[in-house]
Amino acid sequence: MRTPRERAYPAHWEADVVLRDGGTALIRPITPDDAERLVAFYELVSDESKYYRFFAPYPRLSDRDVRRFTHHDYVDRVGLAATVGGEFIATVRYDRVDETGRAAADSGAGGSAQAEVAFLVRDDHQGRGVASALLEHIAAVARERGIQRFIAEVMPANNKMIKVFTDAGYSQHRSFEDGSVHLTFDLEPTERSLAVMSAREQRAEGRSVRRLLAPGSVAVIGASRSPRGAGRRVLESLRSCGFTGRVYAVNRELPGGEREIGGVPAHRSVKDVPEDLDLAVVAVPASQVHALARECGEAGVQGLVVLTADFSRDEQRELVRLARSYGTRVIGPNAFGLMNTAPEVRLNATLSPEMPARGRVGLFTQSGAIGIALLAGLHQRGIGLSSFVSAGNRADVSGNDVLQHWDDDPDTDVALLYLESIGNPRKFTRLARRIAARKPVVVVKGARHSGSAPPPGHAAPVSTTPVATVTTLLRQAGVVMVDTVTELLDAGALLVSQPLPAGPRTAILGNAESLGLLSYDAALAGELRPQPVRDLGTSATPGEYRQALRDALEDPETDAVVVTVIPWVGDTPVAELADALREASEGADKPVTVVHLAIEGLDAALAGHGIPSYPAPERAVRALSEASRYARWRREAENPGRVPEFEADEAAASELLARAAADAAGAGAPDTTGKADAEAAEPATAAGGGEAAAPPGPARTADVSAARRGESAAGDGEAEGTGTGETSGTEGTGAEGTGAEGTGTEETSRTEETSGHAPGGPSGTAAGAVTPVAATASTTSPVPRPASDRSPGVTLGAEDTAALLACYGIVVQPTIPAPGPEEAAAAAARLGYPVALKTTAPHLRHRADLGGVRLDISSESELRRAHAELTEAFGDSGGMRPVVQTMAPRGVDTVVRAAFDPTIGAVLSFGLAGTPSELLEDVAHRLVPVTDKDAAELVRAIRSAPILFGWRGAQPVDVASLEELLLRVSRLLHDHPGVVAVDLEPVVVASRGHTVLGATVRVAEPSPRADLGRRSLPAY
């Protein structure tokens, strides 16, 4: 039974982390059951480290010490341990203290915002980045518990620990007092601290993959004497491809007296192998894998490649948990294996007997079958690999980890990925943006039409965001997104062998005008700017091709060249033609692609010269179009724009949101029928009325603001040592993309009579439905409630919505309820004519076709007549809920939405209102925070954007005003993690200014800002 000072074990603080050397450790809270582990850990710490920790010789811990260091209330006193194989390798603790340094529990300063922090790291694990990882995690815990700063006393000679604190990147103050260094540092993440964490994450995860790809020793577990088994095939692949390390076979059924299998040393157990193993390939039945994983962990194996399939998700989780507890990474289950073509490694730990040629393409796949096809396709195109990873169900090592490796791999110039699920799109986007600034990242996404659910057996969370939206956001991050495996190879072949085009201007030349015209049409469809086709004639010689290509490349009006070739009458001079094209393009800074029809041997001849060739113009032009789009992204990424500073009353907004959070906390069980929300969640007005236009959004599980900062790499200034001084959100649904009926060119006052939940937006529910937002930790309390105790999110009332938006300079057109003709007349007199009269009952919302709207009413008599007509058509006022609203200037109806998805962060969406836009999914998206450049691109990204700029002679609207509105909405979500959905529908953009006719805001308690303070591996 717990005492009042002992709280429930905070399981959400547990996390697996990758250390600096690529190994893993489990960080978790210390409990009373850890007494023996703590004592054993302390006995392994050197006297010098103990002296640094306690400022005096301290050979052993007393019983009182053990109790103090293992009993915590997880609020004022917290201890965390880093463990490997169940043993402590490091500890950290904080004690909340008052301004005089006394323990908060003794002084009664339970609300103090500072704590004393101390570390102790085993000497044999110093230098691995353990203390740096523990500092990130203890800081995140402290922030969750309302602590704003740490203080620490460190001996001057303890340079390693001083460096851990100073290199963390937090704002700090250092002084020398009473013979020790006194450090005080704020725990609020800074741009530098985020950059440090990002750089450490990249180095650690990259090294964890690098040591899997470059092992010194490999054991194949399950290698049989029969040449047919999977293990034996991997064994043969390792031997035949010239692996430079040591290879062992492990088979527990090995007959006594036998010492070899397939010509390599064989043993019954990995424990019998006479050296430490770096990598083990597991090819045994699924029922045996967990026991083998434990055996490998105890033997110190650094990585497992699990070929075995038929694991349930729970079994996969247990396998990964077990492996990580020993510091081991797992590739698989259901993996195809690993390849590294580096001459000093030559690793082929796959089922394929052939090693690809050495090259500069990195390849990652989740599917073994697709991996085989891609390897064969690259071989046919003469493209070599640097490394290959087929991760299967990717229960542990994922595409994100491999990207971290390729980021600083000097042998990889292009990254190709086949993905069936993206477990962490937010992180993938962040990594891809950083890597794409220097090398192309090409992705084909499988399982796009499975409702965003991962394929069976894959360890990945289900995203609530449609794949189309994720694809759009990935493109904005510089990822080259293609639709098929063939396009993946086509794009990769061009990007790895040719320079990027400086623009879309494309020259086309060849010996057949018809093939040139097909290429011309394909170029137009691919958003290139083709020049007139140059027809060389069917009798063109290789020399004429050489001169024509040289002329095109020297033309300053040309950015790229497509060469088309049909067979000669008689023998085609393949070698001569390939040489001519090489000579003409050698040293050029413009890409060249070749399209040829049925010319045997030309592919290989051109591949030998580094010129990509394609059997159809559409394929060549599609690859060139992707290269052109990627090149444009790189140029524009050099100037990303800025986030403008607007005057905003953040304090008033925070106060309003805190009050809403308190209201949500006091609410009872969520209404699952939707009735309460339909009655209460009306659009923002000055005096009520209207409706809720946006579906509920998902809980914000982390503050998105810092996820957009600190992307640059930091230095390697980490150090380890000892020092002194004593989440999980729930997925919900989010507002969808934009869309509402009507693109108005007349004076209008459509508040909610038109609908819109475009499939392309962040996912949501149907209009009128209520899905409670899964709330998380409150920012108004220093001690967040457990997830099970947190309240659901709420849709703000009309007045609060208008007030919150007004804090950010967003004005909502007022509406006034008009239950009867007298109230309608009074409302119109108050607002001023002309006005609109509309119904807002749930069954009439978004149904302008039912006639529930009367516009441009200019007199009281006309208003009374309109009210009578609506009453006659729809019944009494209780059934139609009529409201009066001032008419807006004529313009174009648009919709602005922003919603938070826990897998990708806050997303701002824009589109025109109306069914056509909704049906065509004509919606654009950007991640928050949005820059001025993003806002301009967002408005112009939709296909119907010409309507805003004077299409067919119409008057252009005030796009600048619209862009400012988008920036203000972005700023609102960026500043306040508790805002999980904003819906402005419609927004009428006129020739001068804009009018927001309807607005809905949904809020929830924000979660602890875990993404701002600690690195951890995903726990699916």
Side-chain angles (χ1 to χ4, degrees):
M1 181 178 221
R2 295 194 302 269
T3 68
R5 292 293 298 169
E6 294 176 339
R7 295 177 179 255
Y9 179 78
H12 66 286
W13 291 349
E14 292 185 355
D16 293 302
V17 297
V18 182
L19 303 177
R20 186 189 304 162
D21 61 359
T24 63
L26 169 65
I27 293 179
R28 64 170 178 82
I30 298 174
T31 72
D33 294 336
D34 290 320
E36 293 184 4
R37 293 186 185 89
L38 180 66
V39 172
F41 157 73
Y42 195 76
E43 291 177 350
L44 296 175
V45 176
S46 70
D47 290 339
E48 181 184 44
S49 294
K50 293 174 183 176
Y51 186 86
Y52 284 153
R53 170 64 175 83
F54 294 103
F55 281 33
Y58 215 89
R60 64 185 59 85
L61 296 175
S62 67
D63 292 343
R64 182 178 179 182
D65 292 331
V66 173
R67 176 174 177 80
R68 183 162 64 97
F69 294 149
T70 57
H71 287 68
H72 306 95
D73 62 11
Y74 301 125
V75 178
D76 295 334
R77 293 180 293 107
V78 174
L80 301 179
T83 70
V84 174
E87 298 180 355
F88 283 10
I89 65 169
T91 62
V92 64
R93 62 178 280 115
Y94 78 66
D95 289 89
R96 194 189 300 260
V97 296
D98 62 17
E99 295 300 324
T100 67
R102 295 179 58 201
D106 299 332
S107 65
S112 174
Q114 71 177 11
E116 195 173 34
V117 65
F119 294 81
L120 189 59
V121 181
R122 258 173 49 179
D123 296 69
D124 56 337
H125 287 275
Q126 292 180 18
R128 302 186 63 200
V130 185
S132 298
L134 280 173
L135 177 57
E136 293 174 15
H137 283 253
I138 198 72
V141 168
R143 284 194 298 269
E144 182 180 328
R145 295 314 196 199
I147 292 173
Q148 300 173 4
R149 60 187 171 276
F150 275 159
I151 59 176
E153 299 288 340
V154 186
M155 295 189 70
N158 194 356
N159 294 319
K160 292 181 179 179
M161 184 50 60
I162 293 174
K163 192 169 178 57
V164 168
F165 288 124
T166 57
D167 288 352
Y170 295 108
S171 299
Q172 61 179 268
H173 172 74
R174 182 173 9 175
S175 62
F176 188 78
E177 302 174 9
D178 299 327
S180 66
V181 178
H182 182 81
L183 295 169
T184 302
F185 51 98
D186 295 332
L187 299 184
E188 183 67 21
T190 65
E191 186 172 347
R192 180 168 176 258
S193 71
L194 293 171
V196 168
M197 283 183 281
S198 177
R200 288 174 174 170
E201 176 189 62
Q202 186 276 320
R203 290 195 301 271
E205 294 181 358
R207 286 168 184 165
S208 74
V209 172
R210 194 172 306 122
R211 70 179 191 171
L212 296 176
L213 288 169
S217 57
V218 179
V220 181
I221 304 175
S224 64
R225 288 171 292 171
S226 168
R228 292 186 173 182
R232 182 60 180 274
R233 290 171 61 187
V234 174
L235 194 67
E236 294 299 329
S237 297
L238 286 165
R239 293 186 63 234
S240 63
C241 295
F243 175 54
T244 59
R246 283 86 57 203
V247 181
Y248 299 92
V250 176
N251 187 330
R252 67 177 184 177
E253 304 296 334
L254 185 70
E258 291 196 17
R259 294 292 181 266
E260 286 190 357
I261 292 178
V264 304
H267 303 274
R268 289 188 176 183
S269 168
V270 294
K271 294 181 179 179
D272 299 331
V273 176
E275 67 170 305
D276 291 338
L277 291 169
D278 297 323
L279 184 69
V281 181
V282 180
V284 300
S287 59
Q288 302 176 21
V289 171
H290 286 76
L292 285 170
R294 184 181 301 278
E295 186 177 309
C296 289
E298 293 172 350
V301 178
Q302 296 180 353
L304 299 178
V305 178
V306 182
L307 307 184
T308 312
D310 301 323
F311 283 82
S312 69
R313 293 196 180 190
D314 288 340
E315 290 171 334
Q316 288 181 159
R317 290 190 185 99
E318 177 58 24
L319 171 63
V320 172
R321 185 202 65 77
L322 180 63
R324 287 178 179 174
S325 72
Y326 289 100
T328 306
R329 300 301 307 266
V330 177
I331 293 179
N334 196 25
F336 185 68
L338 303 172
M339 289 181 178
N340 183 352
T341 63
E344 65 274 15
V345 180
R346 294 197 58 79
L347 173 72
N348 181 6
T350 74
L351 297 170
S352 173
E354 297 181 358
M355 172 77 85
R358 179 66 171 163
R360 307 195 64 80
V361 170
L363 177 61
F364 175 89
T365 74
Q366 290 181 233
S367 163
I370 296 297
I372 294 171
L374 287 170
L375 289 172
L378 290 169
H379 176 72
Q380 291 172 2
R381 288 165 170 78
I383 301 172
L385 284 179
S386 61
S387 55
F388 166 70
V389 178
S390 173
N393 293 358
R394 64 160 187 75
D396 181 21
V397 174
S398 68
N400 285 348
D401 296 295
V402 180
L403 278 177
Q404 298 277 38
H405 163 64
W406 286 333
D407 184 15
D408 59 1
D409 179 21
D411 296 326
T412 300
D413 290 340
V414 176
L416 305 182
L417 298 95
Y418 168 78
L419 304 175
E420 291 175 347
S421 56
I422 302 177
N424 190 343
R426 183 191 299 186
K427 181 176 179 179
F428 186 88
T429 300
R430 171 169 58 87
L431 299 182
R433 184 185 298 276
R434 185 181 71 221
I435 298 168
R438 294 178 292 104
K439 56 184 73 174
V441 178
V442 189
V443 174
V444 59
K445 176 73 168 61
R448 293 193 297 269
H449 303 291
S450 58
S452 296
H458 282 231
V462 177
S463 172
T464 60
T465 300
V467 171
T469 304
V470 175
T471 298
T472 299
L473 297 175
L474 289 177
R475 282 190 179 277
Q476 293 166 21
V479 177
V480 179
M481 297 294 297
V482 296
D483 294 329
T484 68
V485 169
T486 300
E487 291 176 359
L488 183 75
L489 293 171
D490 289 347
L494 189 148
L495 290 167
V496 77
S497 62
Q498 297 293 303
L500 293 175
R505 300 169 300 180
T506 305
I508 302 172
L509 60 92
N511 61 351
E513 185 179 18
S514 56
L515 188 57
L517 291 175
L518 288 173
S519 301
Y520 185 95
D521 292 341
L524 282 177
E527 300 180 0
L528 297 175
R529 288 167 51 191
Q531 298 172 351
V533 176
R534 182 176 178 181
D535 183 12
L536 303 180
T538 56
S539 60
T541 65
E544 290 174 316
Y545 264 101
R546 179 191 300 109
Q547 187 58 49
L549 178 56
R550 186 171 291 152
D551 293 342
L553 291 172
E554 292 175 353
D555 184 356
E557 299 299 316
T558 297
D559 299 313
V561 182
V562 176
V563 178
T564 63
V565 187
I566 63 169
W568 269 251
V569 176
D571 295 333
T572 300
V574 171
E576 293 86 346
L577 178 61
D579 288 340
L581 297 179
R582 176 189 59 79
E583 292 169 8
S585 61
E586 200 166 32
D589 58 355
K590 300 174 182 179
V592 175
T593 64
V594 176
V595 179
H596 71 90
L597 300 181
I599 301 180
E600 187 175 352
L602 186 57
D603 284 332
L606 290 171
H609 297 318
I611 301 175
S613 59
Y614 304 90
E618 296 81 11
R619 288 175 55 181
V621 169
R622 174 63 188 268
L624 186 58
S625 176
E626 292 294 349
S628 176
R629 186 180 293 114
Y630 169 65
R632 183 173 66 249
W633 178 88
R634 279 182 57 162
R635 291 192 298 271
E636 294 175 350
E638 296 176 358
N639 179 25
R642 64 183 184 87
V643 178
E645 290 293 331
F646 294 112
E647 288 189 7
D649 194 343
E650 293 185 47
S654 296
E655 182 179 349
L656 189 154
L657 291 171
R659 176 162 45 82
D663 293 343
D671 171 28
T672 58
T673 66
K675 180 178 179 181
D677 232 357
E679 295 176 353
E682 299 178 348
T685 66
E691 65 171 296
R700 179 183 294 270
T701 59
D703 178 35
V704 74
S705 61
R708 310 306 309 156
R709 295 184 240 136
E711 300 295 323
S712 60
D716 279 317
E718 291 187 65
E720 293 292 331
T722 56
T724 68
E726 290 273 65
T727 158
S728 174
T730 305
E731 292 185 5
T733 56
E736 291 186 332
T738 64
E741 292 181 1
T743 303
T745 55
E746 303 176 359
E747 252 184 38
T748 178
S749 180
R750 301 182 188 93
T751 303
E752 309 280 339
E753 72 274 17
T754 56
S755 92
H757 301 298
S763 63
T765 58
V770 176
T771 303
V773 175
T776 51
S778 171
T779 56
T780 61
S781 169
V783 183
R785 293 185 300 277
S788 58
D789 297 339
R790 294 170 189 153
S791 61
V794 295
T795 299
L796 295 183
E799 292 184 5
D800 282 346
T801 296
L804 177 65
L805 294 174
C807 291
Y808 282 80
I810 302 171
V811 179
V812 182
Q813 188 88 325
T815 64
I816 300 177
E822 297 300 329
E823 292 86 349
R830 175 180 171 185
L831 296 174
Y833 291 97
V835 297
L837 179 67
K838 63 188 71 176
T839 60
T840 62
H843 66 286
L844 299 175
R845 291 171 182 165
H846 315 304
R847 294 299 305 275
D849 56 306
L850 297 180
V853 181
R854 299 291 187 272
L855 301 177
D856 203 20
I857 300 172
S858 58
S859 66
E860 180 178 339
S861 60
E862 188 178 349
L863 176 62
R864 291 179 179 275
R865 184 168 60 253
H867 196 286
E869 291 172 356
L870 292 180
T871 302
E872 182 179 356
F874 301 109
D876 60 22
S877 61
M880 63 176 181
R881 300 181 189 171
V883 297
V884 173
Q885 187 175 46
T886 305
M887 292 294 296
R890 68 178 58 188
V892 178
D893 286 8
T894 64
V895 182
V896 175
R897 285 198 174 100
F900 183 84
D901 184 292
T903 63
I904 59 176
V907 179
L908 183 66
S909 303
F910 169 76
L912 298 190
T915 301
S917 293
E918 180 179 348
L919 290 175
L920 295 174
E921 301 183 19
D922 190 15
V923 185
H925 313 277
R926 289 293 186 275
L927 288 173
V928 170
V930 170
T931 67
D932 53 357
K933 187 174 180 180
D934 290 331
E937 292 175 351
L938 186 61
V939 169
R940 292 159 178 80
I942 58 175
R943 296 190 296 277
S944 49
I947 293 174
L948 301 169
F949 296 91
W951 183 63
R952 297 182 67 177
Q955 185 176 15
V957 300
D958 190 350
V959 173
S961 171
L962 176 60
E963 292 172 3
E964 181 178 325
L965 174 65
L966 292 168
L967 290 166
R968 290 181 181 276
V969 173
S970 170
R971 169 80 182 277
L972 171 62
L973 266 75
H974 183 64
D975 287 349
H976 300 285
V979 177
V980 295
V982 173
D983 192 331
L984 307 182
E985 181 185 6
V987 177
V988 181
V989 188
S991 57
R992 292 187 62 185
H994 65 270
T995 307
V996 179
L997 296 182
T1000 304
V1001 175
R1002 192 160 181 85
V1003 300
E1005 295 178 89
S1007 68
R1009 297 162 64 172
D1011 61 322
L1012 302 188
R1014 63 175 197 167
R1015 293 168 284 156
S1016 64
L1017 290 169
Y1020 295 132

